[in-house]
Amino acid sequence: MSGGRIPGMRQEQDELGHVSNAPTRPGPGATAGVALDLTDLYGSTAGTAEQGPPLDEKLRQAYFWITNHAIISPHYDVEFEDGPSRRFRFGDARAELVLPSGQSYSSYVLMPLLTFMVRGRCLMVGGPGRGKTASALLMGVLAGYTPREMRRAMQHGHPQLTVSDMFGTPLPRDLVEADRLADVDVAWRGWLGMRVKIVDEYNRIPTRTQSALLTVLADGYVESFDQVYETGRSAWYLTANDDAGGGTYQVIDALRDRIDVVVPALPFNNRFLSALVSRAERGLRPEEAVPESIVFTEREHDRLHRAVLDVPIPRPVLRRLEFFAGQLEFLERGGRQFEYRTKDTARLAGVDPHLVQQTDSGRDALIDVGTQTTAGLSVRSLQSLIAYSKAMAYFRGDAEVGLDHLRAVLPYVLLQKLPMDPDSPVFDQQRAEELRLDRVSWLRTMFDTTCRQYDAAGLDHDDPVGHELAQFDRGLDGTPEHEVRSRLHRIEDLLEQMSAQRKLYGHLYDDALALKYLHQRYTNYLAWLRWSG
Amino acid sequence: MVGLSPADGDDPAPLWAAALRRDAARIESLLAAPRADGADDPSLVEALRSVGPAFDACVARHRLDADRWAPALAVHVARLVAARRFAPSSVRRWALTGIWPSLGGDLSATTPQLLTDLTTAAAHLDAVGDVPAWARRMAAATGAWPGEVSDEDLRRLGVVAAWRAGHVRLRGTAMRISGGLPEPVLDAALGVSDAREALQRNKVRPLWWPDGDGWPRRVGGFRGFGGPWRTPPVVLDGDGAEWQVRTREGDWTVVADAFGAAVVPRGESPAAGRPAAAERGAAGVTGVVRAGGAVLTSLASSYQLVLHPEEVAS
């Protein structure tokens, strides 16, 4: 880091920002060997050319430095269990407090850090003074920029913000002298090339400028006066006081959809007021005292991103995500043709899917989680879910994505991507009313429900459709005609069995369509076999 | 500066006070972050005063540059105060106020990194070994060091002394380092007159040491009483220094030698082997392994393993 220090600091001040020497998450992956060495006694290898800790350890050190020193966020709402956790119930509402048995985290710090890892797009929402901008600034400092650079680069949304203000202006001389647009040089704003980008109060940006922002955010380039500037991949942090339409301008849907994760600011715990007072009295700005040891160089950031992408996601975990997502889009009376029985069909017809759902009295609304939403998941949402699950696993030092990683990030990824149907009968149940307001818990509860259904159906051990898909994935090369016919019969048998069930639920709908896909592929292959003799 | 200097004339650490006064503005700025992290002024003053005599003793004895060491010591102490790790009974405090000034030899070539090394090592050792014994051996060994002692010399010496003070998992590293230490230093660090000879023998028979006694020794224990296990352990295998043990909750490695013992969970790599055959006629014995001149026995009725040299009856 070239900056980010108190002026006049010398080498001794590197010790100011204390970062734990002890492993931040000792566990099977981080178990020291039986024999220890010099480093284990002294905690570091001072005096030698230090390689630094593994990147996941460095990330956790950064996380704990932020929560201990920079952002007063004594919350552990992203809970992990390592054995049974004690639970306590309070008050008339029987509010449950869990003491997680595993290392747990504050979503408000964790989600921005995961965004830093995957170079995603994070929206931080919450009232004024909750530290949204300060958190975003810290992410920039973690990327090696000075607080001064980050402050200068931060884009502040306001109703007069124009495309030129945001991205750059054409050179006046060129505007006068140029014969063609392509001859006009644009003085691009410096922030466009940075690895961390912050847009403060993005819902105060005029709609036209939002559209221009969309191409940068989504596709990594910006166009002005026929000039194109490639910004490269970066981590984006957007802030908004209110993301429910309370900004100066309505946020365009496409921009909203490009946001990978939304993290609501948690309220200040007043028992920590003394820490706040002390900080104010000292006048210290945490972003100016970020320890160098938790700053990521550009190469480390690249390496981190690649390492996260390399984390495998095992089939059983993916299967549960499929099962969950499969329940959401299906709308039995949304169309006539089987493929069109979706919420999308109803929405495109200008009809609220909720109204169509109300006419569907056959299925048990309490079991069918699809009735709780008015839309399904987009492919982009699923990609975000997978990326953030991988980041979560990597952050915890785990070798592959587990169900707990997916469960931890799911509510924040889907918070504004999955619209709730607040009139669903599920919310009229006792103790479910609060889920209408607490969307994080709602999404987590919904995912837990589908996991229980998945377990009840024994799909980990008995998944005939999955078996057929796996068999097809092995390839058709050299498959004889009689084998293809046998597979076609099996598919038809499976569809026969499924159609014999009285009710059609979302996951069955996806299965049926997958079987139709296989049937069609085998049919085409059979036709080719016959043609080729 | 936070009112550090007492009235003139009764200052127990004049060099420390003078050094802090000389560089007051910079030290004040260096202390800003620990203060913001929760180091309150009264605790800070008390802590900074407590290290004054040690600072004066070391600066005078080892001809240290007071202006270089004072800011480093002040920041180091302030950080510990902010982390609530500098209580009067804290081993880290004792490392600075007791162990540092007790070091002998010529430390003029050391750097303030020494302060971090001493406090970190003392804190690590406190959980597994005998810190006062470590401090005595460090004092004796530095006193016997010929010429200037560097930071790296001290770190290497600290490992050998820590092993001797009971940190058995440093055994391999300490053995390797021992080969490069001057003879009188090694003797002082290990507390015997011919340490090289003793080490040669100990390499083959880990429980042997010239002044070794106190056998049999019990290793492990019930978790409810501070041990590692919830069910009685069964010994599976061993080579005299590392023993494989199994309980219902998983597999473990017991590391033991003449100076100490440690129990380490094996994590995801299970121990190989079956329970060692119980000796004929020994009632309640679930496993006995003999190796490297040592015997480790597990009992059906005990959460502790019994370890002793072969020549000593259990």
Side-chain angles (χ1 to χ4, degrees), chain B:
Chain B
M1 200 64 205
V2 284
L4 190 65
S5 307
D8 287 342
D10 58 350
D11 194 338
L15 297 177
W16 175 232
L20 292 182
R21 266 197 299 269
R22 274 198 300 277
D23 210 1
R26 193 165 73 90
I27 293 173
E28 188 74 16
S29 78
L30 292 175
L31 296 185
R35 285 161 122 187
D37 286 344
D40 61 89
D41 283 354
S43 308
L44 211 49
V45 170
E46 189 279 329
L48 291 175
R49 280 196 179 142
S50 73
V51 295
F55 178 87
D56 274 33
C58 292
V59 165
R61 183 170 178 183
H62 302 294
R63 304 179 312 283
L64 303 178
D65 177 358
D67 290 337
R68 183 185 181 204
W69 283 74
L73 178 61
V75 169
H76 189 61
V77 168
R79 258 184 45 203
L80 293 173
V81 172
R84 315 285 192 271
R85 287 174 177 165
F86 209 71
S89 58
S90 151
V91 71
R92 289 178 175 86
R93 179 192 283 236
W94 187 60
L96 294 181
T97 58
I99 302 177
W100 183 33
S102 76
L103 297 180
D106 178 4
L107 304 186
S108 58
T110 56
T111 71
Q113 175 65 35
L114 161 70
L115 304 172
T116 310
D117 285 350
L118 276 182
T119 46
T120 311
H124 281 165
L125 186 60
D126 194 35
V128 292
D130 182 350
V131 181
W134 179 67
R136 283 196 302 276
R137 298 196 186 285
M138 287 292 282
T142 46
W145 197 284
E148 285 180 349
V149 187
S150 69
D151 287 349
E152 195 52 31
D153 294 334
L154 269 180
R155 287 164 70 86
R156 288 160 58 231
L157 185 57
V159 170
V160 176
W163 172 48
R164 180 66 185 88
H167 199 337
V168 66
R169 291 172 70 187
L170 290 172
R171 174 183 171 81
T173 309
M175 286 267 193
R176 273 195 303 281
I177 289 173
S178 296
L181 291 180
E183 203 121 326
V185 174
L186 186 61
D187 289 353
L190 294 178
V192 290
S193 56
D194 190 355
R196 287 208 199 288
E197 169 75 26
L199 282 176
Q200 284 307 319
R201 232 178 129 178
N202 179 272
K203 218 176 247 179
V204 187
R205 297 172 73 86
L207 296 194
W208 183 88
W209 196 246
D211 57 0
D213 55 9
W215 303 107
R217 196 189 295 160
R218 294 186 179 272
V219 181
F222 175 53
R223 187 176 292 180
F225 300 143
W229 295 317
R230 284 186 293 190
T231 52
V234 176
V235 58
L236 303 177
D237 201 358
D239 63 4
E242 289 184 15
W243 311 81
Q244 308 314 320
V245 170
R246 180 165 291 163
T247 62
R248 251 186 246 162
E249 59 263 37
D251 288 349
W252 311 74
T253 299
V254 171
V255 196
D257 67 8
F259 305 141
V263 180
V264 187
R266 284 187 66 88
E268 287 175 347
S269 53
R274 296 176 174 185
E279 285 190 346
R280 200 171 294 169
V285 175
T286 53
V288 179
V289 175
R290 296 168 187 278
V295 183
L296 187 67
T297 308
S298 56
L299 304 165
S301 59
S302 177
Y303 289 86
Q304 293 182 318
L305 300 166
V306 182
L307 178 70
H308 59 88
E310 268 186 317
E311 56 272 21
V312 176
S314 62

Side-chain angles (χ1 to χ4, degrees), chain A residues 6 69 278-289, chain B residues 32-34 36-37:
Chain A
I6 296 169
H69 301 289
S278 164
R279 182 171 296 183
E281 285 171 355
R282 316 286 180 210
L284 188 91
R285 305 178 78 99
E287 66 271 19
E288 287 171 347
Chain B
D37 286 344

Side-chain angles (χ1 to χ4, degrees), chain A residues 395-442:
Chain A
F395 177 82
R396 282 176 58 82
D398 294 327
E400 59 181 26
V401 176
L403 195 60
D404 51 349
H405 304 126
L406 176 60
R407 184 179 182 272
V409 299
L410 183 135
Y412 304 98
V413 173
L414 302 187
L415 199 65
Q416 70 170 17
K417 292 185 190 298
L418 204 55
M420 175 193 273
D421 181 355
D423 298 323
S424 166
V426 173
F427 302 118
D428 295 332
Q429 286 179 292
Q430 200 184 5
R431 297 197 56 240
E433 290 166 350
E434 55 217 18
L435 295 180
R436 280 197 181 105
L437 310 174
D438 176 3
R439 297 202 169 202
V440 170
S441 300
W442 164 60

